[in-house]
Amino acid sequence: MNNKTIIALIIILIVIVVAPFIIHSGMGEEEGYFGGSDDSASEVIEESGYEPWFSSIWEPPSGEIESLLFAVQAAIGALIIGYFIGYWRGQSKKD
């Protein structure tokens, strides 16, 4: 990579990192920024008056535990996918 490419990548990286802070300066989660689509969807559903027809058997005791379980689930999925990709790659090198 030549120097111009490296400088261009650094400038693009700085713009990507700094632009959100400039665009949303002083505004936080209370104004609706940085909120997820799950939050927006649940608000719309609650406003519609929908009542769930069943409740979950178990609910995590806190949001952090819920996030932890989601991260563990994602990690297990990534390990399974990585294992099979590595297995197939190893099989193709054997042949």
Side-chain angles (χ1 to χ4, degrees), residues 18-49:
V18 174
F21 292 111
I22 294 171
I23 293 171
H24 299 294
S25 65
M27 298 179 194
E29 197 169 335
E30 295 84 25
E31 288 86 14
Y33 295 102
F34 306 112
S37 60
D38 290 343
D39 294 335
S40 300
S42 64
E43 287 176 10
V44 170
I45 291 171
E46 288 174 4
E47 288 174 2
S48 70

